Amino acid sequence: MVGDSVNTSGCHESRLLIVGLGLIGGSLAAALRVAGFQGQIAACDPDEQEIARGIEMGLIDSGGTQLAELVDDATMVVLAVPVLAMESVMANLAEVLPNASADVVITDVGSTKATIRACAQRVFGQVPTNMVLGHPIAGSEKSGVAAANPRLYVDHKVILTPEPNVDRSALQRVRCLWEACGADVLEMDVERHDQVLARTSHLPHLLAFSLVDTLARQDERLDIFRYAAGGFRDFTRIAGSDPVMWRDIFIANKEAVLASLDDFEAGLSRLRHAVEAGDSDALIATFDRASHARHYFDSLLNKTSYQAEYHMQPQGKVTYRVQPGGQAQGRLRVPGDKSMSHRSIMLGALAEGVTEVKGFLEGEDSLATLQAFREMGVAIEGPHQGKVTIHGVGMHGLKAPAGPLYVGNSGTAMRLFSGLLAGQAFDSELTGDESLTKRPMGRVADPLRLMGATIDTAEGGRPPLKIHGGAKLKGIDYDMPMASAQVKSCLLLAGLYAEGETRVREPAPTRDHTERMLNGFGYAVSREGDTCWLQGGGKLTAGPIDVPSDISSATFFLVAAAITPGSDITLEHVGINPTRIGVINILTLMGADLALENQREVGGEPVADIRIRYVPLKGIDIPVDQVPLAIDEFPALFIAAANAEGVTRLRGAEELRVKESDRLQAMADGLAVLGVQHTTVEDGIDIVGNGDAQKASYGGGRVDSLGDHRIAMAFAIASLRASDDIIIEDCANVATSFPDFVELATRIGMGVSVEGAHE
Ligand code: S3P
């Protein structure tokens, strides 16, 4: 506040001179005052009244109309004049400050940077090292010092565009100036700044001016505006901005503005054609992409979560603290199956016709798949409460995406996409988050290469994957070295585009959702024993899809009930595809009281309500043939083992080492923290359980989920039988498969609190 004796602003200039006391310069002074800036603030402006008003408002200490009288003792000069006035002001400055010591820092606030840099070069011979060009991305349709707003820059970006030879301390001082005003300071080069601003600021202003002017000309008496509703007001607010300032900007940033205007005109003309032709798919595709982009933008502004944020920002760290004890009671419906959700979008997009999906998992993994298809031009409505409508584009209707397709944490998306994209006419690139970047992709790239695809991977067969389009694929007969539904599905999807037959033999049965769903879309997939095959060159026909609840998510509550005395839980509408029921078989072998009720078939997949009640569990040797059928369920099953009487032994599960984390190691480390005895081997683990229902089975402590959703949820349910709080780190990725896990866990009686989540 003005009058505070301590400078709390972080900006230590002793005398700041603002040249041009309008909205931007005035708001800078106001913000510094509020921040506790203790230096002198002077202003120079050709309009004496503006200076007088600035003094009266308490924003500046002194001022005048002549630069020469004001520059003495200034430690920093901020040029806040319109862009086209910049050169004469700089020339004036060069005269009155001929031997400007490097201690005087000069900066500006102009909206275009190339022209201002050119002014500086003309006036000074080169951009002086003590000059730091900058641009606060903030403003208002109001102008003049009277509109000064001390909060104008709070949480707004200020872009600095320093020259390579800039004096580093000058740069730091300008940074401090803006940070004192609450701004977020970043740096970029001049050219990039001008292109970005042409698109995000200059173009929208041009459109707003043009729209209002066009309507106003059509209606000289301006009667039409009486009927204008909120849409018009929202769209055109900025047409009330300062005309002189904007004229200057368009003259100064001509090239970049024209380039962005070309892009805009092309887009507008596409929309015009769509309206003319009544092309509802094209309209939906454009509006849907725009609407999602706008929500994404909102989420960036409000700092809330949106899966697309993965493109830009590291996820915040989320920690669960789970109280010991609690019950496990009630009826629950867990979210839709992740594997089927991915596939429903993929096949729906390639089908002819409209696919309506119910029960779609609105988790980050399947949303990443959905987003990727939008980026390839597919119109997708939703998701709204699990409902998604996909306007299929046919086998050859995908369009080249503008950039790499980002699939977040999802191995399934990356591997299935690699097959599907290998058959396209365009080049593509698949990228993912830190965990996915470590996972093996050679298992898909190698057989795809045998089919004739050209795929580049990073070292060791890791992502990103670069897939060259236009390859002529040929069917192969492939003997999979590991039991992987992802590899099988990848090859079947590539096989759709291949000449002849694609056959895949699996060493053990793996989930068969791809085969079932392809059949559901009218594409024949045959199977005999351990081999399935299809012929390339067919087509898919859209149809409704009902995605059941995910047995992998249900598992956490099955185990919660299986380990907690007095529990009785029913999980509704769970998919019980025979290739997924390893968890039911294993828990039953351990002695669990588990019943399948109301068994039925929904859209080609078997479904049931699963009721589970507590009875003491016993340790077992897990049959090796159950491993692929329970591959995602082991983190939770290890917690069941820790609560069973005797030793549970798992072998043949080396695949667990290449999931979202090394799950054998991650679980072993967490079990060690809780004090559960265990021994790991390369392909498995022995866990010594504590089956005493009268006592806690283990202690509490802090465990690291390593960003693996299933490790996080497994240790959360472990707390039901712990003696102390379990604190689980790095849980944000629970949202990849089970966004409402905490809510459901709380509903059955667990005490979970979440720290560090986005508000
Ligand atoms: C999946 C297959 C499994 C599984 C993954 C989903 C699928 O992976 O672990 O969560 O949807 O095809 P692998 O096929 O690599 O074992």
Side-chain angles (χ1 to χ4, degrees):
M1 288 288 155
V2 191
D4 278 0
S5 54
V6 186
N7 181 356
T8 50
S9 74
C11 172
H12 298 283
E13 302 303 329
S14 60
R15 184 173 157 91
L16 185 75
L17 173 62
I18 298 173
V19 184
L21 192 64
L23 171 78
I24 297 292
S27 297
L28 172 61
L32 289 172
R33 291 293 196 211
V34 167
F37 176 71
Q38 286 299 295
Q40 291 276 313
I41 305 182
C44 179
D45 196 281
D47 185 342
E48 276 169 27
Q49 284 180 359
E50 288 292 87
I51 297 292
R53 193 166 299 133
I55 295 175
E56 198 181 294
M57 289 168 74
L59 303 181
I60 55 172
D61 301 294
S62 57
T65 57
Q66 299 306 312
L67 198 54
E69 293 161 13
L70 294 158
V71 284
D72 274 358
D73 302 331
T75 56
M76 182 178 283
V77 181
V78 181
L79 307 179
V81 297
V83 173
L84 294 192
M86 212 53 101
E87 185 154 356
S88 62
V89 171
M90 281 189 195
N92 195 191
L93 197 62
E95 267 170 39
V96 297
L97 212 63
N99 307 315
S101 85
D103 278 356
V104 183
V105 173
I106 304 167
T107 184
D108 81 313
V109 299
S111 308
T112 66
K113 301 278 52 131
T115 40
I116 295 176
R117 179 178 59 184
C119 293
Q121 285 162 340
R122 281 193 295 273
V123 170
F124 299 100
Q126 60 160 15
V127 180
T129 53
N130 58 336
M131 178 179 276
V132 182
L133 300 182
H135 176 203
I137 313 293
S140 152
E141 69 283 11
K142 302 190 188 111
S143 41
V145 70
N149 169 7
R151 296 192 55 76
L152 191 66
Y153 306 113
V154 173
D155 288 338
H156 279 247
K157 301 242 179 315
V158 171
I159 302 176
L160 303 182
T161 59
E163 291 298 290
N165 64 344
V166 71
D167 178 85
R168 302 312 292 179
S169 70
L171 178 59
Q172 188 52 33
R173 279 165 60 188
V174 176
R175 185 174 265 283
C176 287
L177 172 83
W178 290 112
E179 283 172 352
C181 302
D184 216 358
V185 182
L186 49 104
E187 289 171 34
M188 63 175 67
D189 68 39
V190 163
E191 287 69 26
R192 171 125 179 92
H193 168 276
D194 285 1
Q195 280 158 9
V196 168
L197 267 288
R199 287 178 158 72
T200 55
S201 168
H202 307 170
L203 178 65
H205 277 85
L206 198 73
L207 302 182
F209 283 128
S210 165
L211 178 66
V212 176
D213 181 52
T214 308
L215 294 187
R217 276 164 188 262
Q218 283 167 5
D219 179 4
E220 295 291 334
R221 295 194 328 277
L222 304 181
D223 247 9
I224 198 168
F225 295 128
R226 286 179 207 274
Y227 312 108
F232 178 82
R233 194 185 51 225
D234 289 349
F235 187 82
T236 58
R237 175 180 60 77
I238 50 181
S241 304
D242 181 357
V244 173
M245 178 178 117
W246 282 98
R247 177 208 54 195
D248 288 5
I249 288 172
F250 289 112
I251 288 175
N253 202 20
K254 178 170 150 184
E255 298 308 328
V257 168
L258 288 178
S260 74
L261 200 54
D262 284 345
D263 292 346
F264 177 78
E265 282 177 354
L268 195 61
S269 122
R270 278 194 299 275
L271 263 183
R272 191 198 158 92
H273 289 312
V275 172
E276 237 164 36
D279 184 345
S280 128
D281 283 359
L283 291 172
I284 281 279
T286 309
F287 299 162
D288 217 74
R289 270 196 309 273
S291 157
H292 276 80
R294 186 64 179 79
H295 286 303
Y296 165 50
F297 175 61
D298 260 355
S299 71
L300 280 183
L301 281 183
N302 303 330
K303 299 200 164 72
T304 54
S305 170
Y306 179 76
Q307 64 92 20
E309 265 188 81
Y310 270 76
H311 292 275
M312 308 287 287
Q313 301 181 342
Q315 272 274 312
K317 289 278 180 203
V318 173
T319 302
Y320 290 171
R321 174 181 287 273
V322 198
Q323 284 161 18
Q327 302 159 356
Q329 297 287 341
R331 290 183 77 84
L332 292 181
R333 184 159 175 164
V334 300
D337 188 276
K338 182 151 72 80
S339 294
M340 288 187 230
S341 294
H342 281 298
R343 288 157 171 85
S344 68
I345 301 290
M346 294 182 177
L347 299 193
L350 297 178
E352 286 170 21
V354 176
T355 296
E356 304 273 0
V357 184
K358 271 200 324 201
F360 179 78
L361 166 66
E362 295 183 38
E364 282 163 354
D365 275 9
S366 36
L367 287 171
T369 289
L370 192 150
Q371 185 67 20
F373 277 101
R374 285 201 171 114
E375 284 168 34
M376 291 190 282
V378 180
I380 304 175
E381 296 168 65
H384 304 295
Q385 293 172 337
K387 289 210 172 69
V388 180
T389 305
I390 308 154
H391 298 258
V393 295
M395 295 301 294
H396 301 283
L398 295 180
K399 303 221 171 67
L405 296 170
Y406 179 83
V407 295
N409 193 243
S410 178
T412 307
M414 187 167 280
R415 296 196 178 115
L416 270 58
F417 267 124
S418 67
L420 192 154
L421 291 170
Q424 305 303 318
F426 51 82
D427 292 351
S428 52
E429 181 174 347
L430 289 163
T431 64
D433 71 2
E434 199 191 329
S435 143
L436 187 55
T437 303
K438 294 185 194 133
R439 296 180 65 186
M441 294 297 147
R443 54 177 61 196
V444 287
D446 292 341
L448 286 172
R449 286 179 189 129
L450 293 177
M451 293 178 80
T454 311
I455 300 189
D456 306 327
T457 63
E459 217 181 296
R462 312 282 150 181
L465 295 182
K466 291 194 176 133
I467 301 164
H468 299 266
K472 286 255 164 294
L473 301 185
K474 276 210 196 63
I476 51 167
D477 189 342
Y478 190 65
D479 217 341
M480 272 198 303
M482 73 290 287
S484 167
Q486 295 182 355
V487 176
K488 172 179 65 175
S489 303
C490 160
L491 299 180
L492 292 176
L493 291 174
L496 299 175
Y497 291 92
E499 193 191 312
E501 197 171 86
T502 299
R503 299 175 74 89
V504 187
R505 195 191 77 81
E506 44 190 5
T510 66
R511 65 193 68 191
D512 62 358
H513 305 302
T514 305
E515 298 94 298
R516 284 176 189 250
M517 213 179 274
L518 278 168
N519 282 327
F521 276 81
Y523 204 113
V525 186
S526 313
R527 171 171 287 273
E528 218 176 85
D530 55 8
T531 304
C532 61
W533 68 93
L534 54 71
Q535 290 285 338
K539 64 171 192 155
L540 300 167
T541 310
I545 297 182
D546 189 342
V547 179
S549 292
D550 197 328
I551 192 166
S552 300
S553 299
T555 291
F556 297 102
F557 294 104
L558 293 177
V559 172
I563 63 174
T564 311
S567 300
D568 184 352
I569 283 191
T570 300
L571 289 143
E572 296 171 351
H573 200 73
V574 181
I576 51 160
N577 179 312
T579 59
R580 297 285 297 278
I581 53 170
V583 60
I584 295 179
N585 299 336
I586 293 167
L587 283 175
T588 305
L589 284 173
M590 293 175 86
D593 176 4
L594 196 147
L596 301 183
E597 297 172 351
N598 193 14
Q599 289 194 48
R600 59 216 180 264
E601 198 172 290
V602 177
E605 290 276 353
V607 169
D609 299 336
I610 309 178
R611 180 168 187 191
I612 180 160
R613 282 170 284 193
Y614 174 80
V615 287
L617 298 179
K618 56 182 192 303
I620 59 164
D621 281 1
I622 296 175
V624 176
D625 64 0
Q626 294 301 307
V627 171
L629 311 185
I631 192 69
D632 291 336
E633 284 62 81
F634 285 108
L637 284 169
F638 291 177
I639 299 302
N643 287 280
E645 194 190 327
V647 179
T648 297
R649 175 190 291 258
L650 171 70
R651 292 294 180 274
E654 58 280 347
E655 273 294 300
L656 292 182
R657 297 211 180 262
V658 290
K659 294 293 177 190
E660 285 85 327
S661 65
D662 174 345
R663 285 185 174 159
L664 287 173
Q665 196 56 49
M667 285 304 296
D669 291 346
L671 289 172
V673 170
L674 305 188
V676 177
Q677 255 190 62
H678 63 276
T679 318
T680 51
V681 291
E682 194 42 39
D683 66 340
I685 191 167
D686 293 348
I687 297 172
V688 184
N690 179 354
D692 186 346
Q694 308 308 315
K695 299 196 305 228
S697 301
Y698 31 72
R702 184 174 282 273
V703 301
D704 190 348
S705 80
L706 300 173
D708 183 331
H709 54 139
R710 300 203 195 278
I711 305 293
M713 291 185 275
F715 282 109
I717 54 152
S719 62
L720 284 159
R721 301 303 316 284
S723 62
D724 212 338
D725 282 5
I726 300 183
I727 299 128
I728 310 151
E729 290 176 349
D730 211 356
C731 297
N733 280 340
V734 168
T736 60
S737 67
F738 202 158
D740 49 0
F741 171 72
V742 170
E743 192 192 320
L744 291 189
T746 309
R747 203 182 316 154
I748 65 154
M750 288 172 54
V752 191
S753 57
V754 181
E755 294 157 17
H758 286 302
E759 301 281 89

